[in-house]
Amino acid sequence: MNTTKNTIIFALSLIVFTNCKAQNTTIMNKNITIDQKVDSLLALMTIEEKVGQMNQYNGFWDVTGPAPEGGSAEQKYEHLRKGLVGSMLSVRGVKEVRAVQKIAVEETRLGIPLIIGFDVIHGYKTLSPIPLAEAASWDLEAIKTSASVAAAEASASGINWTFAPMVDIGRDPRWGRVMEGAGEDPFLGSKIAVARVQGFQGDDLAAPNTIAACAKHFAAYGFAEAGKEYNTVDIGTSTLHNIVLPPFKAAVDTGVRTLMNSFNELNGVPVTGSSYLQRDILKGKWNFKGFVLSDWASIFEMISWGHAKDKREAAKIAATAGSDMDMEGNVYVQELAQLVKDGVVEEAIIDDAVKRILRVKFELGLFEDPFRYCDEEREKETIGNPAHHEAVLDMAKKSIVLLKNENQLLPLKKEGQKIALMGDLADDKSSPLGSWRIASDDETGVSVLEGMQAYKGNTLTYVRGAEVATEQTTFLKEVPLNTTDTSGFAEAVRVAKTVDVVVMVLGEYGFQSGEGRSRTDLQLPGVQQELLEAVYKANPNIVLVLNNGRPLAITWADENIPSIVEAWQLGTQTGNAVAQVLYGDYNPSGKLPMTFPRNVGQVPIYYNYKNTGRPIDKDDNVFWSHYSDVENTPLYPFGHGLSYTNFSYSDLEINGNTFALEDDVNVSVNVTNTGTIDGKEVVQLYIRDLVGSITRPVKELKGFELVEIKAGETKTINFTLNKETLGFYNNNGDFIIEPGDFKVFVGGSSITALETDFVLE
Ligand code: BGC
């Protein structure tokens, strides 16, 4: 098509369609495929406009007000007008989104709509539990619903793309972003990745209440050395293929539309510039048709990594490696067009990236109606809708893990008890919201104090005792961990002596975990441990409620405190969820998605470790794989979590002893609720492949089922193992299955109750 012809079609289309100039007749023709539409639009674009689609800017000014003068914001504004911006992030609210979209659609030459991205990580305005907490529910339907509630609110606010789910496997609780993932296990992580992608994207991406998802951070960001944020990652191929990549592959297989790469390098190559990950694996082997977004300025940061000497080289490396869109890095928009003109980067590479981006915009229905996510009425009705509060409350209750419950201290009696509630976090309406809550207002979480006050039958006295830190933290500000103030202890001790039970809510402020919040100490921050011990001396009847975004090392508490409840940061409805569990109106069923260490020195500690050549002390000497000062076992294993009832396991059976590689292996087990109240249990199945060409972990989760079992009832649970669950990736990244001996373990945690075996021939 020559330019004159383009101009004619373009002019004609202007007559027919008013709101989007790119909506020429070809593009709007319902009888041609999205790919054909994309091709016809691409043919109209200049190289600058193509590169513009690959450029994403952060929200830069109050778009409903006057444009600023001078500085980079003005440049961004100009770029937007010239069609040099394909996407914006962190613009939210119908009014704001409409304003930027109007510029893109009405003022640029082709009128291509923007795709509007936002970190909708665990809810939008009505917040769900942090993702790690949700993972503790092992309830895939609830997790899917939670993502769909988030999508409904975000889409009603003009947003059509979330930077979630984070599917990074995390084995190191020092890394603050473990709060944002699904924990340490690739099998559970893959199932949750699928549930979240389905929840955000629904069945129809063009529906106004669904949004495109983004699996991040591709890849291995969770393996930062020593848990230090943005640090080097150096892992072997087996860990990469068997642990890190499976949740990404699961997300891709379920149709996730975008991936985000990450800040880390992997074995010497910043992943943003990794052709191996993005071209060979993602777009090659996995046939991914969506697009890859860089992380915030990660293309630019390849210069600091020492992988690119300047922006020009960074642009060349990242585009060639398959990073399709530059988030707020200003690298593509400045360098790529010239690189193409100079013959350094092939235009085909740009075309491929732009096609991927346009395809997602078409799928979202943005060409049909760029303002389909901009309906003020829907915005008003949807955000904060009571049904959403119900949904996040449900999710919050399901996310709570009962770590320990001696002497039946829990559930609390509803009447006639004197209860003291203690801890800074108990009266905190902000921390429960966790660290990703940009669209939510501070102080909008239900505190534990408020939740417990709803139960009127007891006397409830609140005493702060001690603060967590000298200041509440913010999204951008570092947390001071320097509190020494113990002046509130005396009152706490005095009150503790006068009550039947003390409920202590201890842990981390909402912004003490999350991005940029790595810690070397996993104990309770500040003087909270001292407070706990002081109160314990006065009254040992303590229920410890943890609010935290990562596994903590609470060894003393485990040895001394009778009841411990892991309540994470549960979002808007935190206090109600905690109170309902403490009072027994909800019987907890959560199970840990991450191992809790005894101390920070055990980290990284995870259940699916390798046996080593010296797993046990055979000869009563020191030469075996262990520490001299602490045992090898964790404080609480992966999969651990109690209920107010008890479950027993029996009759583990397999439908044979020997199977062919192609066969299904059927496993069944009976689970009995031996207590007096109904409850739910996550029945977990693990395998061990005893001998492998690549050594296999001592246990690997390969099945789980969340079952409701009435008091006294027995249920038979069936699992099927097959090629997909019995195989693994070799060091070339090929999935293989090998004959040999397998063990099967079933139980209510990774410390399993029953064991049997079979042979694959
Ligand atoms: C984070 C991403 C996030 C992006 C945009 C980055 O710092 O690593 O996960 O989506 O910012 O807010």
Side-chain angles (χ1 to χ4, degrees), residues 17 206 301 337 358 365 478 536 644:
F17 304 99
E301 288 176 11
L358 293 177
E478 192 78 77
Y536 177 77
Y644 292 148

Side-chain angles (χ1 to χ4, degrees), residues 89 119 163 177 216-217 260 263 295-296 327 436 515:
L89 78 143
D119 288 289
F163 306 136
R177 283 192 98 165
K216 68 188 188 184
H217 303 85
M260 185 188 294
F263 295 126
D295 203 346
W296 184 287
M327 182 197 287
W436 277 116
E515 186 174 352

Side-chain angles (χ1 to χ4, degrees), residues 56 58 89-90 118-119 121 163-164 166 177 180 216-217 221 230 260-261 263 293-296 327 436 438 475 515:
Q56 184 188 56
N58 190 43
L89 78 143
S90 301
F118 198 83
D119 288 289
I121 308 294
F163 306 136
M166 184 183 108
R177 283 192 98 165
E180 204 180 329
K216 68 188 188 184
H217 303 85
Y221 180 38
Y230 314 131
M260 185 188 294
N261 57 38
F263 295 126
L293 169 70
S294 81
D295 203 346
W296 184 287
M327 182 197 287
W436 277 116
I438 324 172
F475 187 58
E515 186 174 352

